[in-house]
Amino acid sequence: MNASFSSPVANAQQGAKLALDQATFVRSFLGGLNGWSVCITLLLMAVVYDQFKYIWNKGTIAGPSMKIPFIGPFLESVNPKFEQYHAKWASGALSCVSVFHKFVVIASTREMARKVFNSPMYVKPCVVDVAHKLLRPTNWVFLDGKAHVEFRKGLNGLFTRQSLEIYLPGQEDVYDKYFAEFLATSKEHGSKPVPFMASFREINCAISCRTFVGHYLSDAAVKKIADDYYNITAALELVNFPIIIPFTKTWYGKKASDMVLEEFAKCAAKAKVRMAAGGEVTCIMDAWIKSMQKSARYREKISKGEDADKPSVLLRDFTDFEISQTIFTFLFASQDATSSATTWLFQTLAQRPEMLDRIREEQMEVRGGDKNKKLDMDMLEKMTYTHAAVKELLRYRPPVLMVPYEVKKDFPITSSYTAPKGSMVIATTYPSLRDPEAYPDPDTYNPERWISGGAEKAKQNWLVFGTGPHYCLGQLYATYNLMAMVGKASLHLDWVHHPTPISEEIKVFATIFPMYSTESRKAPSVRTDALDQGKENEPWKQGRNTHIATADNDSIDQKNLSAEPAVSEESKGT
């Protein structure tokens, strides 16, 4: 018996029919599609991918189980709340969020923060995307590795003890000018309360400009920079649109940064001429340019076969714009942080008049009884209590809460978690500075802990200025500036603070400021003799209105304050 089997697929007629059916199906499927269905399908695929990528990157660390598609917590970040930051820090040693395309890991504990600060092999400092457009991509702050180390060597000498003493006269001139303006403002307003936050931002901008670029910048230009710098701060908030759109925060910030860079470049050109003519160094720009010119003369002599003393650091000649970029980074690092610290320092000491009295007494002592004696470094180094008051303020209200870094390659932060390449990892300072083991009773402002309380031993927790290869160059300058300012103010001004129920709450705007209350504008002016009253413990918790009243202190006996107030300033955080 013979039999055979023929496969339908092998049959030519059957194969043609099958191909026809497939083609019909494809035409039918494509015919059923339209633009909307394609878009919806792609959108759903993108949402699924966005969620999957977030969950994959999150791993086992704390954070939302899912994210709002694409934007994440962007809307919360438009008006950030300190309480939300605090809750995130408390959620775990490592936690995360994802905003737009950026996955962010937050290192909250001392150990995790220090790991980030001290891991240059895996991370490099970064700021928001738009910062490259404002500060310029060629700015030295974006250098990494050896290039960063070499550039930084040329800047270290600008912040030595000897250099800082050179800048003091310019700083003191600014104190005198603005303290006089505070008094004039008081008189103009009939001793009624006026906002003081803007005044503190302006005086700090003026101090920075005089220290960084001297008198090459006019008073009008300083005022313009102080007024417009708010736009730069707003543009560089942690969460913002990564592109510059006309009439947005980033657009106004770019315009302001362009103006600052142009003004500083003009200053650099003037400084080069003056230093080449043998002018005296009065500011950081002078000192840096003089070092460049000294290096150039050394190279010239060596090329001619002449003997020459080699400078400690050989610098190349920087263009006016390169100098401008670098000086701008100093302003960028100092303006908001010192404005925050100044605001909290004056408010906090006004709330504790017995501490302010101790500063006054110390200031008279280090000046040999002459309150008009000019400042010098020896004097500053003898201000034990004033230094403790400033350092405690920086712990109690740290102006830098978080420092962002970009992950250069997969970063094994712990044995169980690796931050992915391209993500952002943020070292947090606040929890370390409120650690009760390092600082007993951490929620209390207590300068004495730095004198006899053992706080100096907790060096691992002192992260105010960072640590590792990118620690703050100007930490000594920043501390001495605050000491000098509040010390001189204590001798020439009186100020009294009448808090609102929210003036100890924290407003986040790049850094932290006292929360603002519109009701405080309705409060009456405060007489300076209130300094000798209300010595009860922590009176700011009793819900009274908030103001600062200041007065010329020329007629005030240092042990018995009783002068008429001349300026009132409202505690304002915006």
Side-chain angles (χ1 to χ4, degrees), residues 28 60 62-63 100 106 170 186 237 288 351 357 409 413 418 438 450 506 518:
S28 176
T60 58
F100 293 125
I106 301 167
S186 171
E237 287 179 306
W288 197 27
Q351 293 167 175
D357 286 350
K409 61 181 181 179
I413 305 180
T418 297
W450 297 99
I506 293 173
T518 56

Side-chain angles (χ1 to χ4, degrees), residues 17 19 30 64 86 134 196 240-241 257 267-268 321 328 375 380 416 418 428 436 459-460 476 496 500 511 525 563:
K17 182 179 179 182
L30 293 177
H86 199 278
L134 270 63
F196 73 91
N240 227 325
F241 285 107
S257 67
C267 293
F321 192 73
F328 186 24
L375 281 166
L380 281 166
S416 61
T418 297
T428 303
K459 297 186 184 300
Q460 295 290 306
L476 192 61
V496 181
T500 68
T511 177
S525 178

Side-chain angles (χ1 to χ4, degrees), residues 196-483:
F196 73 91
M197 182 59 229
S199 297
F200 284 158
R201 286 183 67 90
E202 186 175 332
I203 189 175
N204 277 289
C205 185
I207 293 166
S208 295
C209 287
R210 286 290 173 257
T211 304
F212 302 156
V213 301
H215 287 276
Y216 301 117
L217 199 65
S218 68
D219 289 345
V222 170
K223 181 69 165 64
K224 174 68 173 172
I225 292 173
D227 290 344
D228 287 5
Y229 200 90
Y230 178 92
N231 293 325
I232 297 174
T233 302
L236 292 171
E237 287 179 306
L238 188 60
V239 177
N240 227 325
F241 285 107
I243 58 175
I244 296 177
I245 301 172
F247 307 108
T248 61
K249 289 180 181 180
T250 51
W251 186 78
Y252 286 113
K254 179 66 163 56
K255 285 171 64 72
S257 67
D258 288 347
M259 179 270 293
V260 174
L261 286 168
E262 182 180 351
E263 289 292 339
F264 284 178
K266 293 177 184 176
C267 293
K270 297 174 187 175
K272 285 181 177 179
V273 173
R274 183 169 170 271
M275 288 298 100
E280 182 182 355
V281 171
T282 61
C283 63
I284 284 177
M285 184 176 281
D286 283 345
W288 197 27
I289 289 174
K290 191 164 188 174
S291 294
M292 295 176 204
Q293 294 175 348
K294 186 176 180 180
S295 296
R297 288 193 296 270
Y298 168 79
R299 283 190 291 265
E300 182 180 358
K301 288 183 178 181
I302 293 299
S303 67
K304 294 178 180 179
E306 301 176 6
D307 292 334
D309 294 330
K310 185 178 180 179
S312 57
V313 179
L314 272 176
L315 300 177
R316 66 174 175 86
D317 288 330
F318 291 87
T319 66
D320 296 346
F321 192 73
E322 285 176 319
I323 295 170
S324 174
Q325 284 181 304
T326 302
I327 298 299
F328 186 24
T329 63
F330 296 162
L331 181 64
F332 170 71
S334 66
Q335 174 60 12
D336 291 311
T338 53
S339 295
S340 166
T342 302
T343 303
W344 285 111
L345 182 61
F346 275 70
Q347 172 172 307
T348 301
L349 289 174
Q351 293 167 175
R352 300 158 177 82
E354 71 284 356
M355 295 181 183
L356 184 54
D357 286 350
R358 284 191 63 178
I359 290 177
R360 286 190 170 107
E361 292 170 3
E362 181 176 76
Q363 294 300 310
M364 289 299 288
E365 181 181 345
V366 300
R367 287 171 166 79
D370 179 6
K371 73 175 184 176
N372 294 312
K373 186 176 180 179
K374 294 297 182 181
L375 281 166
D376 58 40
M377 289 300 291
D378 289 338
M379 196 183 299
L380 281 166
E381 289 172 349
K382 293 177 183 176
M383 297 178 186
T384 303
Y385 189 80
T386 307
H387 180 259
V390 167
K391 195 162 186 179
E392 175 68 352
L393 188 282
L394 295 175
R395 182 204 67 82
Y396 181 67
R397 290 288 187 258
V400 178
L401 296 178
M402 298 173 286
V403 183
Y405 285 79
E406 179 183 344
V407 179
K408 298 187 292 184
K409 61 181 181 179
D410 288 354
F411 178 21
I413 305 180
T414 68
S415 59
S416 61
Y417 183 77
T418 297
K421 178 183 177 180
S423 62
M424 180 185 289
V425 58
I426 296 178
T428 303
T429 65
Y430 190 91
S432 298
L433 297 167
R434 291 296 180 107
D435 181 354
E437 293 185 7
Y439 310 108
D441 194 13
D443 295 331
T444 297
Y445 176 80
N446 178 21
E448 201 65 42
R449 75 172 80 240
W450 297 99
I451 300 172
S452 59
E456 290 288 359
K457 297 178 181 178
K459 297 186 184 300
Q460 295 290 306
N461 287 70
W462 183 249
L463 298 179
V464 170
F465 297 103
T467 187
H470 293 279
Y471 74 90
C472 177
L473 267 175
Q475 57 181 300
L476 192 61
Y477 158 70
T479 303
Y480 280 166
N481 173 45
L482 290 168
M483 290 168 58

Side-chain angles (χ1 to χ4, degrees), residues 88-121:
K88 178 64 69 176
W89 302 331
S91 67
L94 293 176
S95 59
C96 67
V97 294
S98 181
V99 183
F100 293 125
H101 64 293
K102 186 65 70 176
F103 181 74
V104 182
V105 177
I106 301 167
S108 300
T109 64
R110 179 190 67 187
E111 290 74 18
M112 292 297 97
R114 293 187 68 87
K115 180 74 173 288
V116 174
F117 281 130
N118 289 290
S119 298
M121 181 183 298

Side-chain angles (χ1 to χ4, degrees), residues 41-55 66-67 69-70:
T41 300
L42 293 175
L43 178 62
L44 289 174
M45 291 173 64
V47 169
V48 171
Y49 173 76
D50 186 50
Q51 293 292 345
F52 173 78
K53 187 177 180 182
Y54 166 73
I55 294 171
M66 300 183 72
K67 64 173 286 191
F70 309 122

Side-chain angles (χ1 to χ4, degrees), residues 150-203:
E150 290 302 315
F151 197 104
R152 189 181 174 105
K153 284 181 181 178
L155 302 177
N156 286 333
L158 305 177
F159 295 94
T160 63
R161 182 188 187 281
Q162 182 180 2
S163 296
L164 294 180
E165 187 152 38
I166 293 173
Y167 315 143
L168 275 176
Q171 292 171 229
E172 196 159 16
D173 287 344
V174 176
Y175 304 151
D176 292 340
K177 177 180 182 293
Y178 277 86
F179 291 168
E181 288 186 7
F182 291 170
L183 296 173
T185 299
S186 171
K187 185 175 181 180
E188 180 183 346
H189 288 81
S191 296
K192 294 181 179 179
V194 295
F196 73 91
M197 182 59 229
S199 297
F200 284 158
R201 286 183 67 90
E202 186 175 332
I203 189 175

